[in-house]
Structure formats: C-alpha cells, structure tokens
Amino acid sequence: MTTIYVKQDGTRCVQCDTVKRWLNANNVPYEEKNALDHMDYLGSIGIRQMPIVVTKEGEAFGGFDIGKLQQIAGGS
C-alpha cells in the first residue's frame, strides 16, 4: 500500500491536500502518517518536500509529481 507522510502540525499543506485528493479521485488506497512522528526515517531518505509518498515497492518521492502518481494508479 502507498504511504503518505504529511504535515500534521496545524499548518496547511496544499501539496499534501492535492496529493490526497488526486489519490482519492483515482481510487488509489493509501495510508496517511504524520511526518513529525517519523522524522528519523524521513531524514534517512533525504526528501524534504511534503508530502513524502512511499510506494508499495518502497520508492519515495516528494510533492505532487503527476507522473509518479499516475504510475502508482496504474499499478494499484
């Protein structure tokens, strides 16, 4: 399953909202996690842009990357 690490610190993350909305619209199941609770792991993968998306295959990317999101939708 795809995992999305999002900011849950009370601030608005437009990119996070956009990725979740796109995945929902394309019927892609995902698990949402609070990035602040996983800083050691997220720091180890070196991505700084939110949200951080990790595919079921373990590939990680940051932000709203339509090409990679379409790959996830095609493989789900």
Side-chain angles (χ1 to χ4, degrees):
M1 177 178 289
T2 299
T3 303
I4 304 173
Y5 294 90
V6 299
K7 288 171 49 174
Q8 293 179 343
D9 61 358
T11 61
R12 182 91 193 264
C13 175
V14 174
Q15 293 270 60
C16 300
D17 294 342
T18 303
V19 168
K20 290 188 290 185
R21 209 170 29 252
W22 192 94
L23 291 172
N24 287 331
N26 288 278
N27 299 312
V28 177
Y30 63 91
E31 178 180 11
E32 182 177 331
K33 294 187 179 183
N34 185 347
L36 297 175
D37 294 338
H38 301 275
M39 294 305 289
D40 289 340
Y41 167 66
L42 297 176
S44 73
I45 60 176
I47 298 172
R48 303 278 185 251
Q49 184 178 13
M50 291 305 221
I52 297 172
V53 180
V54 181
T55 68
K56 62 184 175 185
E57 293 81 16
E59 178 189 355
F61 62 92
F64 183 78
D65 185 324
I66 190 66
K68 291 184 180 180
L69 290 170
Q70 288 172 332
Q71 287 177 347
I72 292 170
S76 64

